[in-house]
């Protein structure tokens, strides 16, 4: 039975590297603080220097929904509703900001070493299969 990467053994190293990588990325993502400025009167995005708020987007959305309920085949109503909904989703996503919480340089270096060291070791444990297949293919072509 072949282990990780198609080589004999290596399953222990594979799972250890996977745990290192997952632990490091968990700690890294756990240190990220997500904030949003979406709210009453907050500008979601700007068009030509003019700030567009969430309430300005709700007006065409409501008009589009009313037009759809009046006549479901009304193309302009669908365009208005879908466009306003898309603009609202775009505005919410663009109003999100991500910051790294305050931590010491040692903590950050340890987290990055865990995450990317584990990623490198994990990818190395998967590399064995591709190299072994190439060696077998070369040996087959020579004979």
């Amino acid at each position: 039975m072949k282990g990780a990467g198609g080589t004999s053994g290596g399953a222990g190293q594979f799972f250890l590297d996977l745990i290192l990588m997952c632990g490091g990325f968990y700690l890294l993502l756990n240190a990220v603080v997500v904030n949003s400025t979406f709210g009453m009167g907050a500008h979601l995005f700007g068009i030509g220097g003019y700030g567009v708020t969430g309430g300005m987007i709700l007006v065409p959305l409501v008009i589009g929904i009313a037009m759809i309920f009046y006549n479901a085949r009304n193309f302009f109503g669908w365009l208005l509703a879908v466009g306003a909904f898309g603009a609202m989703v775009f505005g919410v996503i663009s109003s999100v900001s991500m910051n790294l919480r305050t931590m010491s340089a040692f903590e950050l270096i340890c987290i990055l070493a865990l995450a990317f060291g584990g990623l490198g070791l994990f990818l190395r444990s998967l590399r064995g299969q591709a190299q072994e297949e190439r060696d077998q293919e070369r040996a087959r072509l020579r004979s």
Side-chain angles (χ1 to χ4, degrees):
M1 182 164 124
K2 293 194 175 202
T7 59
S8 59
Q13 180 185 356
F14 172 80
F15 287 112
L16 177 65
D17 301 340
L18 182 66
I19 290 169
L20 278 173
M21 181 183 67
C22 290
F25 281 115
Y26 169 76
L27 291 172
L28 182 64
L29 293 176
N30 196 33
V32 173
V33 179
V34 179
N35 295 319
S36 176
T37 58
F38 182 75
M40 300 300 264
H43 296 285
L44 297 179
F45 54 91
I47 298 176
Y50 182 71
V52 178
T53 63
M56 291 177 181
I57 294 175
L58 286 178
V59 172
L61 178 67
V62 170
I63 292 171
I65 290 172
M67 291 172 77
I68 291 170
F69 272 87
Y70 181 73
N71 181 6
R73 294 183 180 176
N74 189 345
F75 178 75
F76 185 68
W78 280 101
L79 183 68
L80 203 57
V82 170
F85 181 75
M88 190 180 319
V89 170
F90 174 76
V92 169
I93 291 172
S94 67
S95 70
V96 171
S97 65
M98 295 182 213
N99 301 311
L100 203 58
R101 72 170 171 81
T102 304
M103 65 176 70
S104 68
F106 179 74
E107 289 175 316
L108 182 61
I109 290 170
C110 287
I111 289 172
L112 293 176
L114 270 175
F116 291 101
L119 178 65
L121 291 171
F122 176 74
L123 293 175
R124 185 178 73 180
S125 71
L126 295 177
R127 185 183 66 178
Q129 182 178 14
Q131 230 171 1
E132 188 176 314
E133 286 176 1
R134 274 188 259 136
D135 293 341
Q136 288 176 353
E137 183 66 25
R138 286 182 187 149
R140 187 182 62 81
L141 291 174
R142 288 183 191 151
S143 59

